[in-house]
């Protein structure tokens, strides 16, 4: 950062944080580097460059936050800090870098880190209290990778112009992150964890590890989602309509979600909520009883499950297309289809091995047809003819069977 802090106007005599630029062979910081703003005037900038590739030592602090003013509005954003050229710096010192905006709900500041030992920089955006005000960051085409991304209690609007590769992402905590650009994001070392947070990506997402979406979190990806591990889905996928979702290992689902694109998992364990898959759904694991459905599942596209399937008691599976189970199937819950006028949108179930239906199990499609007969007789598809009243213009139809 090279700019001073700024202010909206000077009506309340609020002044922004200034600018500090340090170039040193090494640094021991036991004091304070401070460029604070106040009220409606933002934090400033602090730029520390170590030329000797040495560790940064000390128990000091760096502060580009915004102090509370007794008059006016506390709405200015936190400042910017950059620390580069060092070999190592302690997590304790990094935690003493204060980036908070004004306590009226202003945006957080940023901390940019670049070690002499790692060509990829790191980015930290955080506040003590959660804020909805945005912190905009735009990466140039020369920055195609980040060693670390950490966002806490902040709203980061990250603009990229080239595919971005991340070595790691700290758990997103009470955060909102939007990654915009036509390209995608790759995380080399999972997990990707969302804790009371939302992550929106206008491109694709490729995670080499696990994905965890907490119960009050949202993962909204316009392109494909690849998880080379497990996906714990207790939150929302924002009605995914983009590219395919591929989870190489287990999908553990406990929330209602809708996916209209191709959806492939190794195993599926669906515990609660309604999981709707209107595209091709595939479960690739052949391990016995690897697919367990305890919640409601709606399959509107074709589905193929290579292993055995357990539909637990109390679970409902709504099948509106062709489903093939390559192993055995234990149906202790309910299989049905939606109300339809089309024969193709019904229960078309193929089980290659044993189909077991205990006393709690049922395939029930009572009153699920909305087909309207267009002729002059009323009859079931293969059942008895209708008995009409004496004043009816439609005589009873003849019984026709499928033989």
């Amino acid at each position: 950062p090279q700019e001073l802090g700024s202010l909206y106007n000077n009506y309340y005599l609020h002044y922004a944080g200034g600018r500090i630029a340090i170039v040193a062979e090494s640094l021991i910081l036991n004091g304070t580097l401070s460029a604070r703003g106040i009220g409606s005037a933002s934090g400033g900038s602090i730029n520390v460059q170590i030329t000797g590739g040495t560790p940064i030592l000390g128990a000091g602090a760096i502060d580009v936050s915004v102090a509370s003013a007794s008059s006016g509005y506390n709405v200015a954003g936190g400042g910017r800090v950059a620390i580069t050229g060092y070999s190592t710096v302690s997590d304790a010192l990094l935690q003493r870098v204060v980036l908070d905006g004004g306590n009226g709900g202003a945006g957080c500041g940023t901390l940019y880190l670049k070690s002499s030992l790692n060509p990829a920089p790191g980015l930290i955006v955080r506040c003590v209290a959660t804020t909805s005000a945005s912190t905009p960051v735009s990466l140039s085409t020369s920055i195609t990778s980040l060693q670390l991304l950490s966002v806490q209690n902040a709203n980061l609007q990250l603009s990229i112009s080239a595919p971005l590769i991340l070595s790691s992402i700290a758990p997103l905590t009470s955060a909102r992150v939007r990654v915009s650009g036509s390209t995608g994001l790759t995380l080399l070392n999972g997990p990707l964890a969302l804790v009371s947070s939302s992550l929106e990506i206008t491109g694709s997402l490729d995670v080499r590890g696990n994905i965890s979406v907490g119960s009050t979190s949202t993962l909204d990806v316009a392109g494909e989602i690849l998880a080379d591990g497990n996906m714990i889905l207790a939150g929302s996928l924002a009605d995914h309509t983009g590219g395919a979702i591929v989870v190489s290992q287990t999908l553990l689902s406990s929330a209602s979600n809708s996916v209209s694109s191709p959806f492939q998992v190794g195993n599926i364990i669906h515990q609660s909520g309604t999981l709707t898959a209107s595209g091709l759904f595939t479960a690739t694991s052949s391990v016995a009883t690897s697919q367990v459905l305890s919640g409601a599942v709606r399959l509107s596209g074709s589905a193929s499950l290579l292993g055995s399937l357990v539909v637990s008691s109390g679970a409902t599976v709504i099948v509106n297309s062709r489903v093939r189970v390559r192993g055995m199937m234990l149906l202790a819950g309910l299989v049905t289809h939606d109300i339809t006028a089309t024969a193709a949108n019904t229960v078309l179930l193929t089980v290659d091995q044993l189909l077991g239906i205990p006393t709690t199990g049922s395939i029930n499609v009572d009153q699920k047809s909305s087909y309207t007969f267009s002729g002059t007789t009323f009859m079931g598809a293969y059942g008895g003819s209708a008995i009409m009243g004496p004043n009816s213009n439609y005589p009873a139809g003849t019984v026709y069977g499928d033989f």
Side-chain angles (χ1 to χ4, degrees):
Q2 299 179 359
E3 301 296 331
L4 295 165
S6 61
L7 52 144
Y8 176 68
N9 60 49
N10 204 20
Y11 180 81
Y12 293 105
L13 297 180
H14 294 172
Y15 291 96
R19 176 176 179 244
I20 299 173
I22 296 174
V23 179
E25 182 183 37
S26 58
L27 175 64
I28 299 175
L29 177 63
N30 286 313
T32 301
L33 303 178
S34 183
R36 302 187 73 193
I38 186 171
S40 56
S42 76
S45 67
I46 297 177
N47 193 338
V48 177
Q49 181 182 355
I50 305 302
T51 60
T54 55
I56 295 178
L57 305 175
I62 299 175
D63 195 341
V64 290
S65 65
V66 177
S68 297
S70 58
S71 61
Y73 302 95
N74 296 304
V75 293
R80 311 269 182 171
V81 177
I83 307 174
T84 62
Y86 60 91
S87 58
T88 59
V89 61
S90 71
D91 289 338
L93 178 57
L94 294 181
Q95 288 297 323
R96 292 192 293 273
V97 178
V98 186
L99 305 168
D100 297 76
N103 61 14
C108 308
T110 62
L111 170 58
Y112 175 89
L113 300 167
K114 192 171 188 301
S115 167
S116 62
L117 304 179
N118 195 321
L123 178 63
I124 297 175
V125 185
R126 65 166 180 251
C127 284
V128 172
T130 303
T131 178
S132 60
S134 65
T135 299
V137 174
S138 180
L139 298 183
S140 66
T141 55
S142 63
I143 300 179
T144 59
S145 62
L146 290 176
Q147 184 267 334
L148 169 69
L149 177 64
S150 177
V151 186
Q152 297 178 2
N153 299 322
N155 178 358
L156 172 63
Q157 303 291 304
L158 180 62
S159 176
I160 60 176
S161 54
L164 181 63
I165 299 175
L166 299 177
S167 294
S168 63
I169 299 180
L172 300 179
T173 306
S174 299
R176 178 185 176 188
V177 178
R178 185 176 192 271
V179 181
S180 61
S182 59
T183 57
L185 185 152
T186 298
L187 175 60
L188 297 180
N189 302 292
L192 170 63
L194 277 61
V195 182
S196 300
S197 298
S198 67
L199 174 59
E200 179 185 355
I201 302 174
T202 61
S204 60
L205 173 64
D206 183 357
V207 177
R208 314 292 170 81
N210 299 333
I211 296 177
S212 175
V213 183
S215 60
T216 56
S217 298
T218 300
L219 178 61
D220 185 358
V221 180
E224 65 181 5
I225 300 175
L226 305 178
D228 187 20
N230 303 314
M231 177 183 283
I232 300 174
L233 184 59
S236 172
L237 288 178
D239 294 334
H240 184 79
T241 60
I245 298 178
V246 179
V247 180
S248 67
Q249 297 183 30
T250 299
L251 170 67
L252 176 59
S253 170
S254 58
S256 294
N257 277 288
S258 175
V259 177
S260 60
S261 55
F263 198 172
Q264 177 180 311
V265 302
N267 308 319
I268 178 170
I269 301 175
H270 179 62
Q271 296 176 324
S272 58
T274 300
L275 179 63
T276 300
S278 53
L280 173 64
F281 179 82
T282 307
T284 61
S285 175
S286 59
V287 178
T289 65
S290 57
Q291 324 300 340
V292 180
L293 307 180
S294 301
V297 176
R298 173 176 275 106
L299 300 173
S300 298
S302 297
S304 177
L305 296 91
L306 300 189
S308 297
L309 174 64
V310 175
V311 180
S312 302
S313 177
T316 299
V317 179
I318 302 171
V319 176
N320 295 319
S321 187
R322 189 174 302 278
V323 174
R324 183 175 182 180
V325 180
R326 304 291 181 123
M328 297 182 294
M329 180 174 176
L330 175 62
L331 175 57
L334 169 67
V335 170
T336 185
H337 64 70
D338 288 323
I339 295 175
T340 181
T342 305
N345 297 334
T346 55
V347 176
L348 305 172
L349 177 63
T350 300
V351 181
D352 288 6
Q353 298 181 29
L354 172 67
L355 171 61
I357 305 177
T359 57
T360 59
S362 172
I363 300 177
N364 188 318
V365 293
D366 292 354
Q367 301 177 48
K368 293 294 185 179
S369 172
S370 61
Y371 174 71
T372 302
F373 187 71
S374 58
T376 57
T377 59
F378 288 93
M379 67 190 73
Y382 305 114
S385 58
I387 300 176
M388 308 303 296
N391 296 324
S392 172
N393 294 322
Y394 303 105
T398 306
V399 178
Y400 292 102
D402 189 23
F403 48 82

